[in-house]
Amino acid sequence: MVIAITTPRGHVGSHVLRVLVQAGVRPRVLMREPDALDPVWRERVDAVRCDQDDGDAVVAATRGAEALFWVSPTSFSGDPVEGHARLGAHVARAVVENGIARTVFQSSVGAEKRRGAGEIDGLARVEEALDATGAPVLHLRSAYFFTNLALDLDGIREGVLHTAWPLDAPMPWVDPRDIAEVAAARLLAPWSGGGVQAVHGPRDLTFTEVAEVLTAVLGRPVRAERVSDDDVRAGLASVGLGGAQVEAIVGMAAGLRDGFVPAQPRSVLTTTPSTLAGWVDAHLRPLL
């Protein structure tokens, strides 16, 4: 079995790589710079140089693959939504030309809106491109990553968790490792139906509750504080992001925070086990 995976150093892709290797598979990893892969994996994978924004390279790198794990990385030049749409066309072409039997795409909660959710609109374009192939494709619509907390380390150190979301609006949160385990399970097992599977984490949390978890685990007071969209824009612009990139990020919160409900309800199939408290203790605490 040849299983090709993208972003093998990412929050999700790195865990997909580990699970596949531990399952006895020798995955084919698609990387712009294969030498950047951790040496511990190099003898256990087939690393292929591939720029995901090069359609010919994507087709060549996935030739002969039975299964594909596709992550659409954010474009930091130009409009991220347009970038995702372009990559979606590349992977759709590869799926058709190479007859890939099953593709697992890492999408996001909110892609079902199709329009009005910032950068997530780009993932919706990838979903549409893959669906148009008629091939077996599974979209994993993932919840808000625990790892996003690491983007506000300075604030957490100062005891404040900043967010543009309403503080008491619950939403699903997930450990990327859990997404990877679902993805790996679907890559390893034959299927032909595809569709959508949400990955919602153990339970919905408000930002107020997240701050309470941080307080309890870190042993220091942390409170949630809502900031305006304009404050977010200013912060993103200050680190050099362009206008389209800023609006793509701001639009994710703006498009999902007011009454949005995921199309796929929480169930035994969408609920995963890893808790926020455990993740904070293992991964966030060492960074502070």
Side-chain angles (χ1 to χ4, degrees), residues 64-87:
E66 177 180 332
L68 169 64
F69 176 62
W70 183 265
V71 180
S72 185
T74 296
S75 172
F76 291 103
S77 62
D79 185 340
V81 175
E82 292 178 358
H84 286 300
R86 191 169 59 250
L87 268 60

PDB file of all heavy atoms in Angstrom, residues 64-87:
ATOM      1  N   GLY A  64       0.831   6.422  -8.440  1.00  0.00           N
ATOM      2  CA  GLY A  64       0.936   5.102  -7.823  1.00  0.00           C
ATOM      3  C   GLY A  64       0.415   5.039  -6.402  1.00  0.00           C
ATOM      4  O   GLY A  64       0.398   3.960  -5.796  1.00  0.00           O
ATOM      5  N   ALA A  65      -0.029   6.160  -5.860  1.00  0.00           N
ATOM      6  CA  ALA A  65      -0.535   6.164  -4.479  1.00  0.00           C
ATOM      7  C   ALA A  65      -1.958   5.617  -4.438  1.00  0.00           C
ATOM      8  O   ALA A  65      -2.800   5.954  -5.278  1.00  0.00           O
ATOM      9  CB  ALA A  65      -0.507   7.573  -3.914  1.00  0.00           C
ATOM     10  N   GLU A  66      -2.202   4.785  -3.448  1.00  0.00           N
ATOM     11  CA  GLU A  66      -3.555   4.271  -3.230  1.00  0.00           C
ATOM     12  C   GLU A  66      -4.374   5.245  -2.392  1.00  0.00           C
ATOM     13  O   GLU A  66      -5.588   5.364  -2.567  1.00  0.00           O
ATOM     14  CB  GLU A  66      -3.489   2.920  -2.529  1.00  0.00           C
ATOM     15  CG  GLU A  66      -4.853   2.335  -2.182  1.00  0.00           C
ATOM     16  CD  GLU A  66      -4.750   0.993  -1.500  1.00  0.00           C
ATOM     17  OE1 GLU A  66      -3.769   0.276  -1.745  1.00  0.00           O
ATOM     18  OE2 GLU A  66      -5.654   0.663  -0.708  1.00  0.00           O
ATOM     19  N   ALA A  67      -3.700   5.928  -1.465  1.00  0.00           N
ATOM     20  CA  ALA A  67      -4.391   6.850  -0.573  1.00  0.00           C
ATOM     21  C   ALA A  67      -3.556   8.118  -0.426  1.00  0.00           C
ATOM     22  O   ALA A  67      -2.330   8.091  -0.555  1.00  0.00           O
ATOM     23  CB  ALA A  67      -4.631   6.212   0.791  1.00  0.00           C
ATOM     24  N   LEU A  68      -4.255   9.222  -0.138  1.00  0.00           N
ATOM     25  CA  LEU A  68      -3.587  10.515  -0.039  1.00  0.00           C
ATOM     26  C   LEU A  68      -4.168  11.306   1.125  1.00  0.00           C
ATOM     27  O   LEU A  68      -5.391  11.411   1.262  1.00  0.00           O
ATOM     28  CB  LEU A  68      -3.785  11.309  -1.331  1.00  0.00           C
ATOM     29  CG  LEU A  68      -3.373  12.792  -1.329  1.00  0.00           C
ATOM     30  CD1 LEU A  68      -1.873  12.940  -1.117  1.00  0.00           C
ATOM     31  CD2 LEU A  68      -3.808  13.466  -2.629  1.00  0.00           C
ATOM     32  N   PHE A  69      -3.276  11.852   1.963  1.00  0.00           N
ATOM     33  CA  PHE A  69      -3.677  12.807   2.995  1.00  0.00           C
ATOM     34  C   PHE A  69      -3.247  14.179   2.515  1.00  0.00           C
ATOM     35  O   PHE A  69      -2.053  14.447   2.357  1.00  0.00           O
ATOM     36  CB  PHE A  69      -3.009  12.470   4.331  1.00  0.00           C
ATOM     37  CG  PHE A  69      -3.298  13.479   5.417  1.00  0.00           C
ATOM     38  CD1 PHE A  69      -4.590  13.699   5.859  1.00  0.00           C
ATOM     39  CD2 PHE A  69      -2.264  14.209   5.993  1.00  0.00           C
ATOM     40  CE1 PHE A  69      -4.858  14.638   6.848  1.00  0.00           C
ATOM     41  CE2 PHE A  69      -2.522  15.140   6.990  1.00  0.00           C
ATOM     42  CZ  PHE A  69      -3.818  15.358   7.416  1.00  0.00           C
ATOM     43  N   TRP A  70      -4.215  15.052   2.308  1.00  0.00           N
ATOM     44  CA  TRP A  70      -3.933  16.363   1.726  1.00  0.00           C
ATOM     45  C   TRP A  70      -4.265  17.470   2.715  1.00  0.00           C
ATOM     46  O   TRP A  70      -5.397  17.570   3.203  1.00  0.00           O
ATOM     47  CB  TRP A  70      -4.740  16.572   0.449  1.00  0.00           C
ATOM     48  CG  TRP A  70      -4.447  17.871  -0.251  1.00  0.00           C
ATOM     49  CD1 TRP A  70      -5.136  19.041  -0.128  1.00  0.00           C
ATOM     50  CD2 TRP A  70      -3.374  18.127  -1.175  1.00  0.00           C
ATOM     51  NE1 TRP A  70      -4.576  20.019  -0.925  1.00  0.00           N
ATOM     52  CE2 TRP A  70      -3.486  19.478  -1.580  1.00  0.00           C
ATOM     53  CE3 TRP A  70      -2.341  17.358  -1.702  1.00  0.00           C
ATOM     54  CZ2 TRP A  70      -2.605  20.072  -2.484  1.00  0.00           C
ATOM     55  CZ3 TRP A  70      -1.461  17.941  -2.594  1.00  0.00           C
ATOM     56  CH2 TRP A  70      -1.593  19.272  -2.982  1.00  0.00           C
ATOM     57  N   VAL A  71      -3.276  18.271   3.022  1.00  0.00           N
ATOM     58  CA  VAL A  71      -3.451  19.494   3.797  1.00  0.00           C
ATOM     59  C   VAL A  71      -3.144  20.654   2.857  1.00  0.00           C
ATOM     60  O   VAL A  71      -2.137  20.621   2.149  1.00  0.00           O
ATOM     61  CB  VAL A  71      -2.514  19.546   5.018  1.00  0.00           C
ATOM     62  CG1 VAL A  71      -2.720  20.846   5.797  1.00  0.00           C
ATOM     63  CG2 VAL A  71      -2.745  18.342   5.922  1.00  0.00           C
ATOM     64  N   SER A  72      -4.006  21.656   2.868  1.00  0.00           N
ATOM     65  CA  SER A  72      -3.790  22.823   2.010  1.00  0.00           C
ATOM     66  C   SER A  72      -3.140  23.914   2.853  1.00  0.00           C
ATOM     67  O   SER A  72      -3.802  24.561   3.663  1.00  0.00           O
ATOM     68  CB  SER A  72      -5.127  23.316   1.450  1.00  0.00           C
ATOM     69  OG  SER A  72      -4.931  24.367   0.534  1.00  0.00           O
ATOM     70  N   PRO A  73      -1.835  24.128   2.688  1.00  0.00           N
ATOM     71  CA  PRO A  73      -1.152  25.111   3.533  1.00  0.00           C
ATOM     72  C   PRO A  73      -1.536  26.540   3.172  1.00  0.00           C
ATOM     73  O   PRO A  73      -1.871  26.843   2.023  1.00  0.00           O
ATOM     74  CB  PRO A  73       0.336  24.848   3.254  1.00  0.00           C
ATOM     75  CG  PRO A  73       0.363  24.198   1.915  1.00  0.00           C
ATOM     76  CD  PRO A  73      -0.909  23.422   1.790  1.00  0.00           C
ATOM     77  N   THR A  74      -1.480  27.399   4.175  1.00  0.00           N
ATOM     78  CA  THR A  74      -1.800  28.806   3.966  1.00  0.00           C
ATOM     79  C   THR A  74      -0.770  29.467   3.070  1.00  0.00           C
ATOM     80  O   THR A  74       0.430  29.259   3.222  1.00  0.00           O
ATOM     81  CB  THR A  74      -1.837  29.540   5.311  1.00  0.00           C
ATOM     82  OG1 THR A  74      -2.892  28.999   6.110  1.00  0.00           O
ATOM     83  CG2 THR A  74      -2.083  31.031   5.129  1.00  0.00           C
ATOM     84  N   SER A  75      -1.251  30.276   2.152  1.00  0.00           N
ATOM     85  CA  SER A  75      -0.360  31.065   1.305  1.00  0.00           C
ATOM     86  C   SER A  75      -0.073  32.388   1.993  1.00  0.00           C
ATOM     87  O   SER A  75      -0.993  33.098   2.414  1.00  0.00           O
ATOM     88  CB  SER A  75      -1.012  31.327  -0.053  1.00  0.00           C
ATOM     89  OG  SER A  75      -0.247  32.242  -0.805  1.00  0.00           O
ATOM     90  N   PHE A  76       1.206  32.710   2.129  1.00  0.00           N
ATOM     91  CA  PHE A  76       1.590  33.966   2.763  1.00  0.00           C
ATOM     92  C   PHE A  76       1.961  35.033   1.730  1.00  0.00           C
ATOM     93  O   PHE A  76       2.593  36.029   2.054  1.00  0.00           O
ATOM     94  CB  PHE A  76       2.730  33.731   3.747  1.00  0.00           C
ATOM     95  CG  PHE A  76       2.299  32.939   4.943  1.00  0.00           C
ATOM     96  CD1 PHE A  76       2.614  31.593   5.043  1.00  0.00           C
ATOM     97  CD2 PHE A  76       1.555  33.526   5.949  1.00  0.00           C
ATOM     98  CE1 PHE A  76       2.209  30.850   6.146  1.00  0.00           C
ATOM     99  CE2 PHE A  76       1.138  32.789   7.052  1.00  0.00           C
ATOM    100  CZ  PHE A  76       1.462  31.456   7.146  1.00  0.00           C
ATOM    101  N   SER A  77       1.561  34.793   0.493  1.00  0.00           N
ATOM    102  CA  SER A  77       1.710  35.813  -0.539  1.00  0.00           C
ATOM    103  C   SER A  77       0.397  35.857  -1.312  1.00  0.00           C
ATOM    104  O   SER A  77      -0.108  34.823  -1.748  1.00  0.00           O
ATOM    105  CB  SER A  77       2.876  35.489  -1.471  1.00  0.00           C
ATOM    106  OG  SER A  77       2.663  34.276  -2.145  1.00  0.00           O
ATOM    107  N   GLY A  78      -0.175  37.014  -1.436  1.00  0.00           N
ATOM    108  CA  GLY A  78      -1.439  37.139  -2.139  1.00  0.00           C
ATOM    109  C   GLY A  78      -2.614  36.759  -1.263  1.00  0.00           C
ATOM    110  O   GLY A  78      -2.539  36.733  -0.036  1.00  0.00           O
ATOM    111  N   ASP A  79      -3.719  36.436  -1.900  1.00  0.00           N
ATOM    112  CA  ASP A  79      -4.974  36.112  -1.227  1.00  0.00           C
ATOM    113  C   ASP A  79      -4.974  34.639  -0.821  1.00  0.00           C
ATOM    114  O   ASP A  79      -4.911  33.757  -1.690  1.00  0.00           O
ATOM    115  CB  ASP A  79      -6.141  36.405  -2.166  1.00  0.00           C
ATOM    116  CG  ASP A  79      -7.502  36.212  -1.521  1.00  0.00           C
ATOM    117  OD1 ASP A  79      -7.576  35.507  -0.493  1.00  0.00           O
ATOM    118  OD2 ASP A  79      -8.487  36.764  -2.042  1.00  0.00           O
ATOM    119  N   PRO A  80      -5.058  34.327   0.486  1.00  0.00           N
ATOM    120  CA  PRO A  80      -5.042  32.920   0.906  1.00  0.00           C
ATOM    121  C   PRO A  80      -6.187  32.097   0.331  1.00  0.00           C
ATOM    122  O   PRO A  80      -6.021  30.911   0.048  1.00  0.00           O
ATOM    123  CB  PRO A  80      -5.139  33.015   2.434  1.00  0.00           C
ATOM    124  CG  PRO A  80      -4.576  34.356   2.769  1.00  0.00           C
ATOM    125  CD  PRO A  80      -5.002  35.246   1.641  1.00  0.00           C
ATOM    126  N   VAL A  81      -7.366  32.710   0.163  1.00  0.00           N
ATOM    127  CA  VAL A  81      -8.497  31.964  -0.391  1.00  0.00           C
ATOM    128  C   VAL A  81      -8.196  31.546  -1.827  1.00  0.00           C
ATOM    129  O   VAL A  81      -8.424  30.397  -2.219  1.00  0.00           O
ATOM    130  CB  VAL A  81      -9.789  32.795  -0.317  1.00  0.00           C
ATOM    131  CG1 VAL A  81     -10.943  32.059  -1.019  1.00  0.00           C
ATOM    132  CG2 VAL A  81     -10.161  33.067   1.140  1.00  0.00           C
ATOM    133  N   GLU A  82      -7.655  32.457  -2.610  1.00  0.00           N
ATOM    134  CA  GLU A  82      -7.264  32.118  -3.980  1.00  0.00           C
ATOM    135  C   GLU A  82      -6.161  31.062  -3.994  1.00  0.00           C
ATOM    136  O   GLU A  82      -6.144  30.178  -4.863  1.00  0.00           O
ATOM    137  CB  GLU A  82      -6.796  33.374  -4.712  1.00  0.00           C
ATOM    138  CG  GLU A  82      -7.909  34.385  -4.965  1.00  0.00           C
ATOM    139  CD  GLU A  82      -7.400  35.640  -5.649  1.00  0.00           C
ATOM    140  OE1 GLU A  82      -6.170  35.737  -5.883  1.00  0.00           O
ATOM    141  OE2 GLU A  82      -8.217  36.528  -5.936  1.00  0.00           O
ATOM    142  N   GLY A  83      -5.246  31.153  -3.020  1.00  0.00           N
ATOM    143  CA  GLY A  83      -4.188  30.154  -2.935  1.00  0.00           C
ATOM    144  C   GLY A  83      -4.731  28.765  -2.682  1.00  0.00           C
ATOM    145  O   GLY A  83      -4.312  27.785  -3.322  1.00  0.00           O
ATOM    146  N   HIS A  84      -5.677  28.646  -1.760  1.00  0.00           N
ATOM    147  CA  HIS A  84      -6.288  27.338  -1.501  1.00  0.00           C
ATOM    148  C   HIS A  84      -7.016  26.817  -2.729  1.00  0.00           C
ATOM    149  O   HIS A  84      -6.942  25.623  -3.048  1.00  0.00           O
ATOM    150  CB  HIS A  84      -7.266  27.449  -0.326  1.00  0.00           C
ATOM    151  CG  HIS A  84      -6.605  27.573   1.007  1.00  0.00           C
ATOM    152  ND1 HIS A  84      -5.746  26.625   1.521  1.00  0.00           N
ATOM    153  CD2 HIS A  84      -6.703  28.543   1.968  1.00  0.00           C
ATOM    154  CE1 HIS A  84      -5.328  26.997   2.727  1.00  0.00           C
ATOM    155  NE2 HIS A  84      -5.895  28.161   3.019  1.00  0.00           N
ATOM    156  N   ALA A  85      -7.725  27.711  -3.426  1.00  0.00           N
ATOM    157  CA  ALA A  85      -8.450  27.286  -4.628  1.00  0.00           C
ATOM    158  C   ALA A  85      -7.488  26.741  -5.675  1.00  0.00           C
ATOM    159  O   ALA A  85      -7.769  25.728  -6.341  1.00  0.00           O
ATOM    160  CB  ALA A  85      -9.251  28.462  -5.184  1.00  0.00           C
ATOM    161  N   ARG A  86      -6.342  27.362  -5.804  1.00  0.00           N
ATOM    162  CA  ARG A  86      -5.337  26.914  -6.773  1.00  0.00           C
ATOM    163  C   ARG A  86      -4.800  25.535  -6.387  1.00  0.00           C
ATOM    164  O   ARG A  86      -4.675  24.636  -7.229  1.00  0.00           O
ATOM    165  CB  ARG A  86      -4.214  27.936  -6.831  1.00  0.00           C
ATOM    166  CG  ARG A  86      -3.237  27.755  -7.963  1.00  0.00           C
ATOM    167  CD  ARG A  86      -2.327  28.958  -8.112  1.00  0.00           C
ATOM    168  NE  ARG A  86      -1.552  29.238  -6.897  1.00  0.00           N
ATOM    169  CZ  ARG A  86      -1.748  30.290  -6.088  1.00  0.00           C
ATOM    170  NH1 ARG A  86      -2.701  31.167  -6.350  1.00  0.00           N
ATOM    171  NH2 ARG A  86      -0.993  30.471  -5.009  1.00  0.00           N
ATOM    172  N   LEU A  87      -4.491  25.358  -5.098  1.00  0.00           N
ATOM    173  CA  LEU A  87      -4.005  24.053  -4.646  1.00  0.00           C
ATOM    174  C   LEU A  87      -5.090  22.987  -4.764  1.00  0.00           C
ATOM    175  O   LEU A  87      -4.800  21.817  -5.041  1.00  0.00           O
ATOM    176  CB  LEU A  87      -3.507  24.147  -3.200  1.00  0.00           C
ATOM    177  CG  LEU A  87      -2.009  24.451  -3.023  1.00  0.00           C
ATOM    178  CD1 LEU A  87      -1.627  25.777  -3.665  1.00  0.00           C
ATOM    179  CD2 LEU A  87      -1.643  24.472  -1.538  1.00  0.00           C
TER     180      LEU A  87
END
